[in-house]
Amino acid sequence: MDKKCSKYEGLFVFSDEDTLKKHLQECEECRQEQQQMDRVSELIDEVKLYYRAKDKKKRPKFRIACAMFLLIFSSLTAGVVVNDEDMMDTLRYGETLSAEDLGFPVDSYGLLMVGE
């Protein structure tokens, strides 16, 4: 029974490139495994371009969507702050709003009226 070489994985992961090359020159089984790894690497490089191109098509759409969201959100927020003049007239620096200012029914003590 032939013993198979099991050094390829250890040399590939843990040793330097020179040691791996020396072993590949001596061992036919490891050389075949290296050729298979090279083929797989070539396939990955070939397909990688397709996926990167597909990813690049999505980026501008995402950036445009984010910009539109920020534009709409900021314009609505600024519109509410600028157009709410009643609140600006009622509220001054250092003052607090009371229940009466907010339009709730209050009694003579300024407490909320629950029922009559």
Side-chain angles (χ1 to χ4, degrees):
M1 187 156 104
D2 294 331
K3 286 190 171 185
K4 290 188 175 184
C5 181
S6 60
K7 293 181 181 179
Y8 178 77
E9 184 178 348
L11 290 172
F12 184 77
V13 174
F14 296 113
S15 72
D16 59 347
E17 200 169 321
D18 295 331
T19 309
L20 179 65
K21 285 182 182 179
K22 286 179 188 176
H23 181 73
L24 290 176
Q25 290 173 353
E26 299 169 0
C27 181
E28 179 65 30
E29 291 174 5
C30 293
R31 196 174 318 125
Q32 288 175 355
E33 196 166 340
Q34 178 66 32
Q35 288 174 351
Q36 288 176 348
M37 293 292 280
D38 290 341
R39 286 187 211 129
V40 169
S41 294
E42 289 172 4
L43 288 173
I44 289 173
D45 287 341
E46 196 174 310
V47 174
K48 179 173 51 176
L49 297 174
Y50 170 74
Y51 283 106
R52 283 192 178 166
K54 192 176 180 182
D55 235 10
K56 285 182 181 180
K57 289 179 183 177
K58 291 181 182 177
R59 286 183 191 163
K61 292 177 184 176
F62 181 70
R63 288 180 182 167
I64 290 170
C66 288
M68 292 298 292
F69 173 75
L70 288 173
L71 180 68
I72 291 170
F73 181 74
S74 62
S75 65
L76 289 176
T77 305
V80 168
V81 171
V82 169
N83 290 334
D84 198 3
E85 295 173 5
D86 295 335
M87 186 64 73
M88 296 301 284
D89 290 338
T90 307
L91 190 60
R92 302 275 182 235
Y93 180 73
E95 293 180 3
T96 57
L97 292 175
S98 65
E100 188 176 13
D101 293 336
L102 294 172
F104 293 110
V106 294
D107 60 5
S108 61
Y109 296 108
L111 302 173
L112 287 175
M113 256 200 255
V114 178
E116 292 186 49

